Amino acid sequence: MTTQAADGAEFIAAPSGTHLYTRFCAALARFCLRLGVAGMCLLIVAVLYQVVGRYIFNDTPTWAESGAVLLVLYVTMLGMAVGVRDAGHIGLESFLVLAPEKVRLVMERLIHVLVFVFGGVMAWQCGVLAHSVWSYNIPTLGISEAFKYIPPAIAGVLVALFSLEHLIALARGEEVEPSWH
């Protein structure tokens, strides 16, 4: 739905039931999706560079493999967090469609609370791990080992934020609209 501002500029208006926190989470999820796509493009370039270096020039770049593994970690963690927001994760509530409405709501809240706690614990523990290995370097990249633990820490924060969004939506009797809308 587009709306015109007083100065004549068109912009996309938020749906009337959309709240500030929901808009923030949707924008954050879209940003994560864009970062994931950029990461996939970089991953393709890194693997292509590695293959060309190995099979055409017989000189494998040392950074390409460990860089690709690190990129996979970033892309996977961002995608996992967005999957939680968009309910693309494993269907924990599959049997709930058969349950009475009251039981279904209680179980959905419990699921989102547990996922929220999981995200918080994951963020905290990965942050502790990142801090503990900060002084060690990945030899082929020359960066800290902590960069391996930063993506799951960020993803944990995102999972907690997105689970909180689901809990708020359940309390309001609303659905969380997927990020790509």
Side-chain angles (χ1 to χ4, degrees), residues 3-17:
T3 306
Q4 265 193 328
D7 63 357
E10 281 192 14
F11 63 94
I12 298 175
S16 59

Side-chain angles (χ1 to χ4, degrees), residues 34-140:
R34 288 182 181 110
L35 276 179
V37 169
M40 284 298 292
C41 291
L42 287 174
L43 178 64
I44 290 168
V45 169
V47 171
L48 182 65
Y49 187 73
Q50 182 181 15
V51 169
V52 167
R54 177 178 293 158
Y55 294 109
I56 294 177
F57 300 117
N58 201 23
D59 183 26
T60 305
T62 57
W63 60 267
E65 183 176 352
S66 53
V69 169
L70 199 58
L71 282 169
V72 166
L73 187 58
Y74 276 85
V75 168
T76 302
M77 290 293 111
L78 290 173
M80 179 269 306
V82 173
V84 168
R85 182 184 187 274
D86 294 347
H89 55 82
I90 298 172
L92 299 175
E93 64 273 345
S94 298
F95 293 110
L96 291 181
V97 294
L98 304 174
E101 183 71 16
K102 191 173 182 177
V103 172
R104 186 185 61 77
L105 286 174
V106 168
M107 293 305 292
E108 282 184 12
R109 285 185 182 112
L110 177 63
I111 289 167
H112 290 299
V113 165
L114 291 174
V115 173
F116 175 83
V117 169
F118 171 79
V121 170
M122 185 169 101
W124 176 260
Q125 292 301 320
C126 289
V128 168
L129 281 170
H131 183 266
S132 71
V133 297
W134 190 262
S135 60
Y136 302 104
N137 280 342
I138 301 172
T140 55

